[in-house]
Amino acid sequence: MQIKSAEFVISNSDVAKCPQENIPEYAFIGRSNVGKSSLINSLLQRKSLAKTSGRPGKTQLINHFKINNNWFLVDLPGYGYAKVSKKQKKTFQKFITNYFSQRKQLIMAFVLVDCRHEPQPIDLDFINWLGMNAIPFALVFTKADKLKPNALNKNVAHYLDVLSQDWEELPPYFITSSTQHHGREELLAYIEQINQSL
Ligand code: GTP
Ligand code: MG
């Protein structure tokens, strides 16, 4: 898919205030610093349309970008556990779960994980939460430039292996590097294919 236009529309922390327009929407989610905003810039070939930082916690709000005038790409803050009760029951930030459970336009979540790390409990918890809520998702390995091919393949295989303990069917997955624009074509082609099928 060619990116002919990409424009920032609005930021907010309330799903009810997200754009009303009924066009397909794809959201990028994952832990802080995993590379969500960087990947969005890489896909759109824009240096800093989505704001990035070496320090975690750069993106704080739900950010809508309108692409080619006919679909939305959404940059989100990193998820973390919010402690809600005296029992310290862990839960994801409410405005993030509200976004995913209430956003009607949402077609798919892209869950980003750093290819260098072991599967993290918080990522597996979020993936399971998506599953329980019947929200379609794909997995995106980020920062592939940081590993040699052998280590990368090994980590990806291990991740899929861990997922297959909970899931009968594995999600689609992509291997990406924002610095090298690796995986860009594949991700855009995947989104285009879905858009055309709607
Ligand atoms: P929050 O907004 O805090 O949730 O973080 P984020 O997930 O949006 O991460 P962001 O895109 O801001 O990137 C975090 C850091 O990782 C920055 O220093 C980026 O330059 C770096 N980074 C992101 N993607 C890549 C990549 O593919 N390769 C390398 N080498 N660094 C990357
Ligand atoms: Mg960000």
Side-chain angles (χ1 to χ4, degrees), residues 36-37 51-52 58-59 75-76:
K36 301 175 293 294
S37 304
K51 302 287 171 273
T52 67
K58 180 67 178 176
T59 309
D75 191 15
L76 291 162

Side-chain angles (χ1 to χ4, degrees), residues 146-164:
K146 300 250 192 191
L147 287 180
K148 298 221 167 73
N150 276 348
L152 178 64
N153 291 336
K154 196 172 142 232
N155 283 7
V156 169
H158 175 61
Y159 210 105
L160 297 175
D161 200 36
V162 169
L163 278 188
S164 65

Side-chain angles (χ1 to χ4, degrees), residues 113-128:
V113 296
D114 189 319
C115 71
R116 294 170 294 176
H117 304 322
E118 276 277 309
Q120 304 285 306
I122 194 166
D123 295 320
L124 298 175
D125 284 357
F126 194 78
I127 287 170
N128 286 332

Side-chain angles (χ1 to χ4, degrees), residues 23-27 99-100 103-109 135-136:
I23 56 177
E25 181 161 318
Y26 301 84
Y99 167 79
F100 281 102
R103 185 69 176 159
K104 298 228 160 42
Q105 292 90 331
L106 183 71
I107 302 293
M108 174 156 295
I135 297 162

